[in-house]
Amino acid sequence: MSALSSYGPHVPDPLPVPSPHPALPLNPIPSPQPVPSLNPVQPSQPVPSPYPAAPSAQPTHALHPQLQSEGRQWLTLAGGKRVLAVVHTVPYAKRLLEVLSLLTADFRVQVVFTAPPHAFGDGVPRFLARLGSPVLPWDEAVRTPFDLALAAGPRGVEQLRAPLITLPHGANYLKRITGTAGAGVAGLRPEDLAPGGRLPAAVVVPHHAELAELGRSCPEALPLTHVVGDPVHDRITASLPLRSAYRAALGVEEGQKLVVAVSTWGPASSFGRFETLLPRLIGELPRDEYRTAVLVHPNVWSGHGPWQIRAWLGRWTEGGVALLPPAADWRAVLIAADRLIGDHGSVTLYGTLTGAPMLLAASPAQEINPASPAAALALTAPALSPVEPLAAQLEYAAAEYRAEEYAAISSRITSEPGRFHRNMRRLMYRLLELGQPAHAPLLPPLPPPPPLDSWAAQGWEVPA
């Protein structure tokens, strides 16, 4: 018998643990039809998870009492399908909200959020509280059956009692893990796809190229894998015609250039160079010609704390650099940029969609998946020099920019351009055993961002 089980057809019996809180009223989960096998594969043994234990962080916005069992008679809509959104971190939350938008306006579906313990999860409670949605404590979520669960990260999801869809939380699979027992491409290893030895009901990937890596790293997941595309790619490309409106909303004047510095997280990210880069943004770029903004990965904010980030960067934000809060929607700012200074993270890769010339402040070969578009970008974009004048480097990047080279890189983000919403909605409704709504899923343009001058780093909130 295989050491791997599935979240889909096999739902474990309820755990015999008394609950201190009433359970969420749900109907029994019907077993979804198994996904047809793409290739006959032999299951492998589960790999122990390399993730460190994380402190528990429960959301402050508790489950609405009318959704608990004792208040079932007070529900206005009862008996519908229940979907659980598993939010480990703020970046995961943003990706899941894009997916959950495909369920809006469907009165047959109730969405509930939960927040598992995670080392970078301290911003999640406030983020979810701002949404105003029911949040089920994690210990209750793992005891409660749902009709469908969605997760953009693996930690703890093997405990869920629901058909599970897993999806990436960023662009493609750009990073690799080396030097450990769990080495491999982050997001495509057995411990990422089948934590605890349990396969999900469906694995979502953005590009057909991922199937080859899956065949090597976790062939058991191939029959469950669906190439659906990338939602951020599609929202950015749909919003490109609004670039002028976004620039006006940000307060970038005619003739000014907006330079956006981007950092992923980790020791090899470009954040380690901000100590020398930010003074250059202020001191070397004429203020009447340039506006500057900084986008730091939420894991940096979470790992070091908002107070520390503001303390490190405060001198430069007071000098005119706009620092985006970690919960902010950065996509319209990326579209508005004239120049980018980035690294090997997802946001920099999404920048290849915008036509903005870029410099790379960091591109660590040891962390980059060599088969990913991030590796191609590292060979294409000029590297930031610590000695040459910054304005001259930015103009050099513009002079050397070749649109066709960056288009070839951005085409590797998704092999289903413009079709994520259609493909993802079809998959979710199939697992929910519901017919789709009789209209095409919406792909709205991104909303205009607040002015740069309002992006004060006041914790986790997005400016109103």
Side-chain angles (χ1 to χ4, degrees), residues 273 358-363 378 380-386 393 396:
R273 303 192 65 178
M358 64 178 65
L359 299 170
L360 292 185
S363 55
T380 303
L384 178 68
S385 168
Q393 292 187 66
Y396 174 82

Side-chain angles (χ1 to χ4, degrees), residues 63-86:
L63 180 67
H64 195 284
Q66 290 185 353
L67 289 177
Q68 300 181 37
S69 57
E70 66 181 13
R72 177 168 183 153
Q73 67 269 29
W74 304 113
L75 286 174
T76 300
L77 295 180
K81 301 287 186 175
R82 306 297 202 269
V83 176
L84 181 68
V86 184

Side-chain angles (χ1 to χ4, degrees), residues 52-104:
S56 176
Q58 293 295 346
T60 57
H61 188 78
L63 180 67
H64 195 284
Q66 290 185 353
L67 289 177
Q68 300 181 37
S69 57
E70 66 181 13
R72 177 168 183 153
Q73 67 269 29
W74 304 113
L75 286 174
T76 300
L77 295 180
K81 301 287 186 175
R82 306 297 202 269
V83 176
L84 181 68
V86 184
V87 181
H88 296 82
T89 70
V90 170
Y92 295 8
K94 293 180 181 180
R95 181 57 59 101
L96 291 176
L97 286 178
E98 193 71 45
V99 175
L100 293 172
S101 71
L102 301 172
L103 301 174
T104 58

Side-chain angles (χ1 to χ4, degrees), residues 153-454:
R155 185 171 300 176
V157 297
E158 71 276 8
Q159 303 174 60
L160 297 173
R161 300 184 58 239
L164 174 69
I165 300 177
T166 64
L167 60 155
H169 61 271
N172 208 268
Y173 297 90
L174 306 183
K175 298 179 182 180
R176 63 177 175 176
I177 297 173
T178 59
T180 69
V185 176
L188 295 178
R189 303 170 302 159
E191 54 265 53
D192 299 322
L193 298 168
R198 295 187 61 199
L199 286 165
V203 176
V204 163
V205 297
H207 200 287
H208 286 92
E210 273 73 67
L211 299 180
E213 177 62 31
L214 268 177
R216 291 187 293 268
S217 65
C218 191
E220 300 84 359
L222 271 178
L224 312 171
T225 300
H226 302 260
V227 179
V228 302
D230 184 293
V232 175
H233 171 284
D234 293 353
R235 291 292 299 278
I236 287 177
T237 54
S239 304
L240 288 174
L242 295 177
R243 181 174 185 269
S244 295
Y246 296 151
R247 290 171 61 81
L250 290 168
V252 180
E253 298 179 359
E254 189 71 27
Q256 286 184 323
K257 296 183 178 68
L258 174 61
V259 179
V260 178
V262 174
S263 176
T264 187
W265 69 284
S269 69
S270 61
F271 189 80
R273 303 192 65 178
F274 276 16
E275 184 178 11
T276 56
L277 174 59
L278 298 191
R280 301 182 71 184
L281 290 176
I282 293 292
E284 297 186 30
L285 301 182
R287 298 192 184 187
D288 58 339
E289 298 179 22
Y290 290 89
R291 296 295 302 274
T292 55
V294 171
L295 174 60
V296 178
H297 195 286
N299 286 2
V300 182
W301 289 82
S302 182
H304 295 282
W307 179 89
Q308 185 64 76
I309 299 300
R310 294 194 297 269
W312 279 334
L313 307 185
R315 179 178 179 183
W316 316 117
T317 57
E318 292 172 1
V321 175
L323 176 63
L324 277 68
D329 190 338
W330 46 265
R331 296 170 294 181
V333 179
L334 198 68
I335 292 172
D338 296 283
R339 304 287 188 271
L340 296 174
I341 302 175
D343 55 17
H344 57 302
S346 293
V347 176
T348 303
L349 182 61
Y350 285 128
T352 61
L353 298 167
T354 69
M358 64 178 65
L359 299 170
L360 292 185
S363 55
Q366 72 276 11
E367 284 196 7
I368 298 177
N369 172 12
S372 73
L377 183 60
L379 298 176
T380 303
L384 178 68
S385 168
V387 294
E388 296 295 327
L390 182 57
Q393 292 187 66
L394 293 171
E395 295 315 306
Y396 174 82
E400 294 296 308
Y401 182 85
R402 300 292 181 268
E404 63 277 9
E405 294 179 347
Y406 288 85
I409 295 170
S410 64
S411 70
R412 296 171 61 183
I413 296 174
T414 173
S415 55
E416 292 286 310
R419 293 187 288 274
F420 175 87
H421 291 71
R422 182 198 68 180
N423 295 339
M424 189 70 193
R425 192 179 77 170
R426 180 189 298 120
L427 175 61
M428 286 194 294
Y429 274 89
R430 190 176 76 175
L431 290 176
L432 284 170
E433 296 189 338
L434 289 175
Q436 294 187 65
H439 60 81
L442 298 177
L443 183 60
L446 296 166
L452 287 173
D453 293 339
S454 72

